[in-house]
Amino acid sequence: ESETTLVSHHLVLSQKVMMEDGKVAEGKERKDVFQAPPPVIMFSGSGLNSSKGLRRQKRDWVIPPINVAENSRGPFPQMLVSIRSDQDQDISIRYSITGVGADQPPNEVFNIDPVLGKMFVTKPLDREHRSSYHLRAHAVDMNGNQVENPIDLYIFVIDMNDNRPEFKNQVYNGSVDEGSKPGTYVMHLSAFDADDNTTANGMVRYRILSQTPHSPIPNMFTINSETGDIVTVAPGLDREKVSQYTIIVQATDMEGNLNFGLSNTATAIITVTDINDNPPMLTSRTFSGEVPENRVDVVVANLTVIDADQAHSPNWNAIYQIISGDQFGHFTIRTDPVTNDGMVTVVKPVDFEMNRSFMLKVAVSNQAHLASGIQSSLQSTADVTISVQDVNEPPYFPTNPKHIRFEEGVPAGTSLTTFSASDPDRLHMQSIRYSKLNDPADWLSINRTNGQIVTTGMLDRESIYVKNNIYEATFLATDNGSPAASGTGTLQIYLIDINDNPPALIPKESQICERMNKNVNGVNITAADADTDPNAGPFVFELPNFPTSIRRNWTISRISGDYARLGLRYQVYLEPGVYEVPIIVSDSGNPPLSNRSVIKVKVCPCDENGDCTTLGAVAAAGLGTGAIISILICVIILLSMVLLFVVWIKRREKERQTKQLLIDPEDDVRDNILKYDEEGGGEEDQDYDLSQLQQPDSLEHIISKPPGVRRVDERPIIPESQYPIRPVVPHPGDIGDFIHEGLRAADNDPTAPPYDSLLVFDYEGSGSTAGSVSSLNSSSTGDQDYDYLNDWGPRFKKLADMYGGGDDD
């Protein structure tokens, strides 16, 4: 051959067409199309065991994909293709396939006969789950050696119309303005079909099935069959007639073929939105009302309006305006937010004497502008007549408050001014009476008929009722109308100061050193005057001529206009004490006023700093040396008595603590044998039956006794008596009865101790290893030597005298 090739055989391929008609969903009988023999796919001849050297390979044949229809009814396994190698005539070959759907999940969708090379599909396929598969076919010998290069197999799942269109929502909401023109976009609907959208199976078309209501026509809207956009097709949308439409939309696949396609429906709710196409209209062309004069915030008329647009929206809310008739702004119109009515309200008082009635022209409009092409109604304007009612108005003072100026100190009966009022009701010719409402100092009176004000007391600028030189009083003016009305006026009197208050010396008390010091020159003094300039300072300070000792001992030197210094004359020595120094103070009034004041000066010894010493302060208080010594002696005596009392208390406490150690040894009860009583001889000298004092070993002799015979020291073996039970909350009158009943029961109880006999208090057993107490010898004779008791100290002296004393006794 002129050209060597690795491909020894060409590919012979034919396919079996396995497509169902697609009309199964419509219930028609399935038809099988022409079936070709099973295709055979041959491996290329360039096997791996070729003995020839490497040569240029010719281009392989392109293997067309294998098409398999989804939802096939079988039977399964269903053969798809046959794979062969031209070497199967020489050696035994095993075939296999790999890839998704074979040996990878989902496994075993496809398998192959390893000997014959026939590939099968084992179950129905779903294109919506997986639309294609990529497998590789392999050929190996019995030893597992690869004899052919793998070939690629592409399996495509052919779509069938097995899915209906699905809307994302079952209900869609849209809106469109009323009065919209035809072709106005309203809303969009869309449906999804899981089938292949490149085929008719997934191509969806839309149409409108119904419209509710049918007003004004049944077909007010249309829908784009491919996009799902809904638009208007006719004019006449009016919210006031139809505010909402309900449309049923159908989506069908197979390009809208109703015979073969699958369908689904959804609901579209279209709301007709309001526009301001209805102007507000007043219900009447004229309105009327009335208002009393001098009243504000009063509704005098109510304007009613009708608007067909949507309530409580800008297209419905009314705005009222006064076009004419209210030049001075006495009225305004407020909108009731609930009813939309206009309330004509007085905002500025009206006067009957000035205007007895008002003729207003009002207009009404909406918050929103009227829609294009809509004209205002003739009923949007109206006339409002308001009548003013006359009422009795109170008198008023033209000048309020009224200011006047007067000097203080004017005598009682002085006429100050005439404070008169005016009556606004000029047409009634009413009279006015005056009275005093507030006069804090009771200095004024007013004439009842003409309002003349006269003083009843002397005006005093320095009074507590005068603030900042102004005295204020209030008066009342009352007319004789029905009902009577009154007004108030304030009179302010500015009081001009006169020199009517003498100055007062400050301070009233001070202290000074008994001997003059260069650093301490005296006491600084000044004065206070209730008057103001020029009737106050500067002040003049002088010492009186009498008594003569004042000018002889004291001196005053001027510091400034309002201050001076009081001091002792040079080389004058005064005894420590308190001295009353009179000083004459004069102000600068015309004529000036003087005042003789007394200052108490304490003269005392001072230290180097010019401060009074403690002793000097006491001496300066007016006490002599003898008095001071007497006070000190009294203090010392008092302290001595307190000290003696404390010492006596301490000593007595010490004696009480040591008294026990001073008791006579005969009276000391500690560590001594005391003789309480003499009971006679021992048990051997008495004829006692000691068996009565011992507890019996058993009770048989008691039980065996005849009835009625018992020991008097035994507890009777009989039922115990019943004692009364005390109530939980006894009545005070029952306490005595309870005590008597308990006592009676105890007296009659034979089991209650004591039993009027010897009682067994303790039992020490029968018999005793110890001898009788009478065997003890009380005498001191014998071989025992008790002289050692003398060595035990004074506490054992009594025993030593009794037993170790020798033959003294």
Side-chain angles (χ1 to χ4, degrees):
E1 294 180 358
S2 60
E3 183 177 8
T4 305
T5 179
L6 296 177
V7 181
S8 58
H9 297 279
H10 66 277
L11 176 65
V12 179
L13 176 64
S14 64
Q15 289 183 315
K16 174 184 179 182
V17 179
M18 299 180 298
M19 294 186 60
E20 297 179 345
D21 191 47
K23 305 176 180 58
V24 178
E26 303 296 333
K28 295 187 176 182
E29 181 181 359
R30 185 176 70 90
K31 298 180 179 180
D32 294 333
V33 298
F34 171 77
Q35 296 183 359
V40 178
I41 299 177
M42 301 295 294
F43 285 93
S44 61
S46 56
L48 294 180
N49 57 355
S50 177
S51 59
K52 297 182 180 180
L54 182 61
R55 299 183 181 181
R56 184 173 61 88
Q57 181 179 353
K58 291 184 177 180
R59 185 171 55 183
D60 292 339
W61 291 92
V62 178
I63 301 176
I66 303 171
N67 296 324
V68 180
E70 66 172 334
N71 302 325
S72 174
R73 298 184 179 180
F76 296 100
Q78 186 176 18
M79 182 178 174
L80 298 180
V81 70
S82 179
I83 301 174
R84 288 192 57 195
S85 173
D86 57 356
Q87 298 187 35
D88 60 356
Q89 299 177 359
D90 301 328
I91 59 175
S92 296
I93 295 178
R94 294 294 181 263
Y95 302 98
S96 64
I97 56 176
T98 59
V100 176
D103 60 346
Q104 299 177 20
N107 301 62
E108 299 180 356
V109 177
F110 304 95
N111 60 21
I112 190 171
D113 189 326
V115 177
L116 300 178
K118 296 181 179 180
M119 190 175 73
F120 300 89
V121 60
T122 62
K123 63 178 72 173
L125 302 181
D126 186 359
R127 191 202 67 85
E128 288 71 40
H129 180 264
R130 191 176 186 87
S131 61
S132 64
Y133 297 87
H134 177 205
L135 304 178
R136 304 199 76 183
H138 305 272
V140 298
D141 58 14
M142 298 301 294
N143 296 324
N145 298 319
Q146 182 175 323
V147 296
E148 296 285 357
N149 290 326
I151 61 174
D152 294 319
L153 301 177
Y154 293 94
I155 302 173
F156 291 145
V157 182
I158 304 302
D159 182 47
M160 306 295 292
N161 190 21
D162 57 345
N163 291 279
R164 293 179 179 273
E166 296 290 341
F167 286 95
K168 183 178 181 181
N169 302 313
Q170 281 301 112
V171 178
Y172 292 82
N173 292 284
S175 62
V176 62
D177 290 340
E178 62 176 330
S180 296
K181 297 179 180 180
T184 302
Y185 172 83
V186 179
M187 60 187 302
H188 171 76
L189 281 74
S190 63
F192 171 76
D193 197 317
D195 292 326
D196 189 359
N197 58 7
T198 62
T199 66
N201 297 333
M203 295 181 179
V204 180
R205 297 294 182 265
Y206 304 92
R207 69 189 188 104
I208 294 177
L209 295 183
S210 64
Q211 169 193 306
T212 304
H214 292 171
S215 175
I217 60 174
N219 299 318
M220 290 293 296
F221 306 93
T222 186
I223 188 170
N224 188 303
S225 61
E226 295 184 2
T227 63
D229 293 337
I230 297 178
V231 296
T232 60
V233 293
L237 290 174
D238 191 351
R239 190 202 64 85
E240 287 72 37
K241 295 180 179 179
V242 178
S243 60
Q244 190 178 84
Y245 290 91
T246 301
I247 295 176
I248 305 300
V249 178
Q250 183 185 59
T252 306
D253 58 14
M254 296 300 291
E255 298 182 294
N257 191 324
L258 299 179
N259 295 324
F260 304 108
L262 302 178
S263 301
N264 213 336
T265 60
T267 301
I269 298 177
I270 301 174
T271 301
V272 181
T273 55
D274 184 48
I275 64 172
N276 195 10
D277 58 343
N278 293 280
M281 295 182 296
L282 292 166
T283 58
S284 176
R285 298 302 302 273
T286 59
F287 296 90
S288 62
E290 58 183 18
V291 57
E293 62 175 336
N294 300 321
R295 295 283 300 276
V296 294
D297 293 330
V298 178
V299 177
V300 297
N302 196 62
L303 312 180
T304 55
V305 69
I306 297 175
D307 195 323
D309 290 322
Q310 185 175 357
H312 305 290
S313 69
N315 300 328
W316 178 82
N317 295 334
I319 297 177
Y320 297 88
Q321 291 179 330
I322 299 177
I323 300 176
S324 62
D326 187 20
Q327 181 180 358
F328 298 101
H330 292 284
F331 305 94
T332 187
I333 304 178
R334 299 167 181 168
T335 304
D336 188 320
V338 177
T339 62
N340 214 26
D341 293 344
M343 300 176 293
V344 181
T345 307
V346 181
V347 294
K348 185 177 179 180
V350 294
D351 188 358
F352 176 81
E353 286 71 27
M354 298 293 295
N355 294 288
R356 299 189 179 186
S357 64
F358 292 87
M359 299 293 295
L360 307 180
K361 191 171 189 64
V362 299
V364 62
S365 60
N366 291 125
Q367 285 183 352
H369 295 291
L370 290 175
S372 178
I374 305 298
Q375 299 296 327
S376 297
S377 172
L378 296 177
Q379 293 180 291
S380 61
T381 60
D383 295 327
V384 181
T385 302
I386 299 176
S387 301
V388 180
Q389 297 176 337
D390 185 27
V391 296
N392 186 27
E393 300 176 78
Y396 68 95
F397 291 88
T399 304
N400 192 15
K402 184 174 183 179
H403 302 275
I404 61 175
R405 294 172 62 91
F406 261 86
E407 284 188 352
E408 63 173 331
V410 294
T414 303
S415 176
L416 299 182
T417 186
T418 299
F419 198 21
S420 59
S422 300
D423 190 352
D425 297 318
R426 296 183 297 271
L427 301 179
H428 296 284
M429 303 298 293
Q430 300 176 138
S431 62
I432 299 177
R433 294 291 182 265
Y434 300 94
S435 61
K436 187 170 60 174
L437 184 63
N438 182 33
D439 183 11
D442 198 18
W443 288 342
L444 307 174
S445 66
I446 187 169
N447 188 289
R448 290 184 54 83
T449 58
N450 60 14
Q452 184 180 16
I453 296 177
V454 180
T455 61
T456 59
M458 188 176 65
L459 304 182
D460 185 6
R461 191 195 66 85
E462 290 75 31
S463 171
I464 60 174
Y465 302 107
V466 177
K467 307 297 181 184
N468 298 325
N469 301 328
I470 294 177
Y471 179 74
E472 188 173 277
T474 306
F475 299 91
L476 193 67
T478 306
D479 62 17
N480 60 347
S482 179
S486 60
T488 60
T490 301
L491 177 66
Q492 293 182 343
I493 307 173
Y494 185 88
L495 296 177
I496 302 172
D497 184 42
I498 64 174
N499 194 15
D500 58 344
N501 292 279
L505 185 66
I506 297 175
K508 298 295 184 181
E509 295 181 355
S510 186
Q511 64 183 17
I512 194 171
C513 295
E514 60 182 354
R515 297 186 183 274
M516 294 298 294
N517 189 300
K518 294 181 180 180
N519 299 325
V520 181
N521 297 325
V523 178
N524 291 336
I525 58 175
T526 184
D529 196 328
D531 296 324
T532 61
D533 292 336
N535 299 318
F539 302 104
V540 178
F541 302 91
E542 296 177 308
L543 293 173
N545 295 324
F546 183 83
T548 58
S549 60
I550 298 300
R551 285 181 174 269
R552 184 172 61 250
N553 297 328
W554 303 90
T555 182
I556 292 179
S557 59
R558 186 180 183 87
I559 298 176
S560 64
D562 294 334
Y563 290 91
R565 179 175 291 109
L566 173 66
L568 291 172
R569 288 188 177 274
Y570 183 68
Q571 293 181 349
V572 172
Y573 171 76
L574 295 178
E575 289 289 335
V578 178
Y579 296 87
E580 294 184 353
V581 182
I583 298 176
I584 299 175
V585 185
S586 302
D587 59 21
S588 299
N590 186 18
L593 294 180
S594 299
N595 182 24
R596 182 186 176 102
S597 301
V598 176
I599 179 173
K600 293 183 179 180
V601 181
K602 295 180 181 179
V603 179
C604 60
C606 297
D607 55 16
E608 62 275 6
N609 297 324
D611 299 327
C612 282
T613 61
T614 304
L615 183 61
V618 175
L623 298 178
T625 304
I628 295 175
I629 294 175
S630 301
I631 292 174
L632 293 177
I633 292 174
C634 292
V635 171
I636 292 173
I637 293 174
L638 182 61
L639 293 176
S640 300
M641 293 177 64
V642 173
L643 181 61
L644 290 175
F645 179 75
V646 172
V647 171
W648 180 76
I649 293 295
K650 293 291 185 180
R651 185 174 180 180
R652 185 173 181 181
E653 182 67 24
K654 185 176 181 181
E655 289 177 355
R656 185 182 295 110
Q657 294 177 356
T658 58
K659 185 177 181 181
Q660 300 298 329
L661 301 177
L662 301 177
I663 298 176
D664 186 73
E666 294 293 336
D667 298 330
D668 192 2
V669 299
R670 294 176 296 176
D671 298 333
N672 287 288
I673 298 177
L674 302 179
K675 180 174 68 175
Y676 290 96
D677 200 357
E678 184 67 38
E679 297 183 353
E683 288 86 347
E684 295 179 352
D685 300 331
Q686 304 293 333
D687 186 12
Y688 288 138
D689 183 9
L690 298 178
S691 63
Q692 297 293 328
L693 301 176
Q694 296 179 350
Q695 177 71 22
D697 294 335
S698 65
L699 299 177
E700 295 179 358
H701 64 287
I702 298 176
I703 300 175
S704 61
K705 288 182 180 181
V709 179
R710 65 182 181 90
R711 280 175 50 180
V712 293
D713 62 339
E714 295 175 353
R715 179 184 176 91
I717 307 176
I718 60 176
E720 297 182 358
S721 299
Q722 298 295 324
Y723 288 86
I725 300 176
R726 184 179 179 182
V728 179
V729 184
H731 189 275
D734 298 336
I735 296 178
D737 297 339
F738 174 76
I739 294 175
H740 290 302
E741 291 178 5
L743 179 60
R744 188 183 307 110
D747 291 340
N748 298 327
D749 185 6
T751 65
Y755 311 124
D756 299 329
S757 62
L758 296 176
L759 303 180
V760 180
F761 291 98
D762 197 3
Y763 176 59
E764 299 179 355
S766 60
S768 177
T769 58
S772 175
V773 179
S774 300
S775 63
L776 297 176
N777 191 352
S778 300
S779 67
S780 61
T781 61
D783 298 335
Q784 182 69 32
D785 184 9
Y786 294 101
D787 293 338
Y788 64 89
L789 294 176
N790 293 319
D791 300 332
W792 287 11
R795 296 188 179 184
F796 295 92
K797 185 177 183 301
K798 190 70 174 180
L799 288 177
D801 292 342
M802 293 174 59
Y803 294 99
D807 299 332
D808 295 340
D809 297 332

